[in-house]
Amino acid sequence: MTHAVQMIGITKLFGSVEALRDVDLTVQSGHIHAIVGENGAGKTTLMKVLYGAHQASEGQIKLNGEPVSFRDSKEAIAAGIGMVSQHYSIIPELTCLQNLVLGAEPGPVISYAAAESRANELAKQMGFQFNWHEEASEISPSQGQKLEILKLLWRNAKILILDEPTAMLAPDDADLLYAKLHELTEQGATVLVVTHRLPEVMEHCDEVTVLRGGKLIDSCPVSQTNPAELAEKMVGQAVTEHSPIPCNPGETLLAVRNLVVKGDKGNDAVKDASFELKSGELVGIAGVDGNGQRELFYALMGTRHSSGEIYLGNQNLTNASTAERIQAGIRLIAEDRHNEAVIEDWSIADNAILGLQRTNRVLAGRSINRNTQAELAKNVTETFPTKFDNVNQRFRDLSGGNQQKVVAARSLQESPQVVLAFQPTRGIDLYVAGLVYDGLIKATREGATVLVVSFDLDELMTYCDRILVMNHGEIAEVPAELRQDRSAIGRMMVGAE
Amino acid sequence: MIDLTYLVAAISFGSLLTSTLTFSAPLILGALGGLCSERSGVINIGLEGKMLAAACATGYIAQASQNPILGLTAGIFVATLLAMLHWTLTQTYRIDHIISGMGINALCAGGTSLISKTFPELGSKQMAAFSIYVYWLCAWTAVIAIWWILKSTRGGLRLYAVGNDPDKSRQMGIKPGKVRLQALLGTGLLTGLAGALIVTNAGSFSDGMTSGRGYIALAALILGGWRPWPTLIAAVLFGLFDSLQLQLQGQPLFGQVIPGEFWQALPYLVTLIALAGIAGKSRAPAGLGKP
């Protein structure tokens, strides 16, 4: 058995910050090798070193036993390495075919007819179908993921690095993807998968390497480990299983009837959605990204026009402004933290009251009550353990994980009635993710209701009292007996059931 | 229906065609120069300055040397130099594209004015120049060439990619800085030709002689949705109304004598209306102004 990749003693410094310390990685040819670890563990950095996007400060890389060193990704691509990063590299304004060939064009003049026939061959080999002349902005995230993989094959990559490849896929699509990856490895390719989904590792991968805090913790065949052990190694302490607190739903708090919301392209992104959230429950919305979750949240916050009815208790919020909704107790953990949740150049203290500026205790006459602000600034940094210097420092200077903690904590201030949480644990590690959910659950037990959108089905299955599924703008409820049935929910997500 | 046939009767269609071609050619060249730049993501408000500087260089060098090749080369050289200055300022020093472009315009307006006032004797000699038809040919060939480059070459694809998303392009092993350098070389060449054409048409350089045509070229580019053929149509449309207004000067409208300024404003008015009406639907390169 040959070693497709050997990384020996890799250390990577960003300025004085050590992202990787003396990490070894050995990947056997023809295997699917998983790299697991929490956010900030150095998984992506290690892969970027292999891909030539970062240069190691120390250490050596060998491909099939031959020492190599890449000054940039171009050289790594030439050596047969391809990487699909977490943030897609597909350019929406180009067609699928243009995206496929970009950066690896067959010559100075491109024959798109010839390119298309090779593209079709590659697609057929993987069992994918593409309308190559469609603009990439039109394709679904899962099509995008498939296109990314074809891009690697177009470049004749023999070593494929996939960073969180299933983050945007429904479970069945994810299984299909791994099946195809297995076919590729049988033909001699080697696959490295960066993931945080342990069930996926157990089911589909051959070996697993665990990183924590930039250091190598363990590397072993998947058959010799189990999810609990992996989770413990990732976190560095035993992960306590979330034990569900029994839910005692009270009165209906938020009632949505026949809600229709237009999408960016003028289509109906949310179609005639009706659902009710009761006091005391945490309800999850499962679904593949782009099925109307975003538009639903915009409509509930009142930042996008919608038709239908929205009631909070007896209060009709259908035509209420966003300000009135916040005053009524609706809170948001926005999806796009930088653009929708905070003003990064403001201080933590100012961001702590951002959005809450019209609530009773914050507003003193026409000015801000500075005592309340100080109290809230203290609360938002203490609700979840946040690393910061002082509340007057710029929000921008917090790390991503700490920013998310503050945003999540802010939504729990000033007696929330309804918390709308869009991927509330994005960018934070497992331990803190657990704390955030505990915080949300605590709010529900105090009488609020929480609606969570997540693309991580396991997360929803762990924490939610009820699960709704959103598919092409339609909302359906997962029957109680299927709430722990991953594949049944997965089929509902893509409308197969 | 008010009878406007007398207006139509006032138009000489033969000369209308020639003057439309004459007026539109510098706009076509200038707009295509802008297309190269803006498709690569570099906002180029400095077309006017480049055209003016090229006109100045071509005019004076062609007079001094009595050599049309030297004159044209000087014009292209100066415009390219300015394009490279714009590249350095925006790409290396990350200066705001609009500010850099305005700076170049101011520099060129002041610089050429200084030269023409300091050396008034320069303008006295006859200027050696290529036939205007050479420039017409250049303008129309450039449309075909750029259309083909965008449609079916590696360079064209990379130009699109960099102009839409420089970061993602970088991930694909493309160097946005390099693509933009090449694009701005194209801008230099085309705006140089545009300036040379303007001065050739007039016979000698005069202060501020581009009179806003760089901006009109930019408007034609935006109106054409940053695509070569629609940009051509926009430039020709403007050229047509510019020729029309010359012929209609002094003609009464609905029995009233219309001030000449109204007719002069006509092409601008048409462009403005067309821009407001149509430009909303066109889509700018998504990466305009991004580092």
Side-chain angles (χ1 to χ4, degrees), chain A residues 260-422:
Chain A
V260 178
V261 191
K262 291 256 185 263
D264 292 331
K265 289 172 194 143
N267 55 326
D268 285 348
V270 178
K271 294 171 192 155
D272 200 23
S274 301
F275 58 92
E276 291 187 348
L277 304 179
K278 292 188 169 62
S279 160
E281 44 175 26
L282 179 78
V283 180
I285 295 185
V288 177
D289 191 9
N291 273 291
Q293 298 97 326
R294 204 156 287 134
E295 290 80 1
L296 172 67
F297 268 40
Y298 286 147
L300 292 177
M301 278 318 290
T303 56
R304 182 169 298 198
H305 179 76
S306 59
S307 64
E309 291 179 334
I310 301 169
Y311 277 87
L312 180 65
N314 297 323
Q315 200 178 349
N316 184 347
L317 291 183
T318 308
N319 296 313
S321 69
T322 303
E324 286 161 349
R325 292 177 200 222
I326 293 173
Q327 280 166 308
I330 299 187
R331 302 279 183 272
L332 175 71
I333 301 177
E335 176 194 21
D336 184 346
R337 185 173 62 227
H338 305 287
N339 291 317
E340 295 176 343
V342 297
I343 296 173
E344 288 185 292
D345 286 326
W346 284 12
S347 65
I348 299 174
D350 285 344
N351 274 297
I353 56 163
L354 185 62
L356 300 172
Q357 67 272 23
R358 291 189 188 84
T359 53
N360 286 335
R361 290 196 324 121
V362 179
L363 199 63
R366 282 170 173 275
S367 54
I368 300 292
N369 183 333
R370 296 294 163 188
N371 292 332
T372 313
Q373 180 178 12
E375 183 195 325
L376 286 177
K378 191 163 173 288
N379 287 350
V380 297
T381 49
E382 283 176 1
T383 308
F384 308 118
T386 306
K387 269 187 217 156
F388 69 107
D389 294 331
N390 65 74
V391 294
N392 294 320
Q393 88 182 91
R394 275 200 317 172
F395 195 83
R396 186 187 291 286
D397 297 330
L398 293 177
S399 75
N402 283 315
Q403 292 186 353
Q404 185 67 16
K405 289 180 211 169
V406 171
V407 170
R410 186 180 63 194
S411 74
L412 301 174
Q413 305 306 317
E414 299 304 290
S415 19
Q417 294 293 302
V418 179
V419 180
L420 305 172
F422 206 109

Side-chain angles (χ1 to χ4, degrees), chain A residues 51 72-74 77 85 87-94 97-99 101-112 135 137 148 151 155, chain B residues 39 148-162 164-175 178 283-287:
Chain A
Y51 185 54
D72 53 32
S73 301
K74 218 173 176 175
I77 292 167
S85 71
H87 305 285
Y88 287 154
S89 62
I90 290 175
I91 297 177
E93 288 82 1
L94 303 184
L97 190 58
Q98 285 178 322
N99 268 298
V101 304
L102 180 66
E105 302 86 350
V109 177
I110 304 169
S111 158
Y112 282 108
E135 209 175 80
S137 61
E148 293 278 8
K151 278 172 77 172
R155 285 158 179 73
Chain B
R39 266 289 165 208
W148 181 78
I149 287 171
L150 286 177
K151 184 177 77 78
S152 35
T153 70
R154 177 170 64 195
L157 177 59
R158 291 184 174 191
L159 190 73
Y160 266 128
V162 167
N164 276 316
D165 201 318
D167 284 332
K168 287 178 179 172
S169 304
R170 217 171 271 129
Q171 280 182 39
M172 301 322 302
I174 295 165
K175 298 194 170 84
K178 198 175 138 194
R283 196 168 57 170

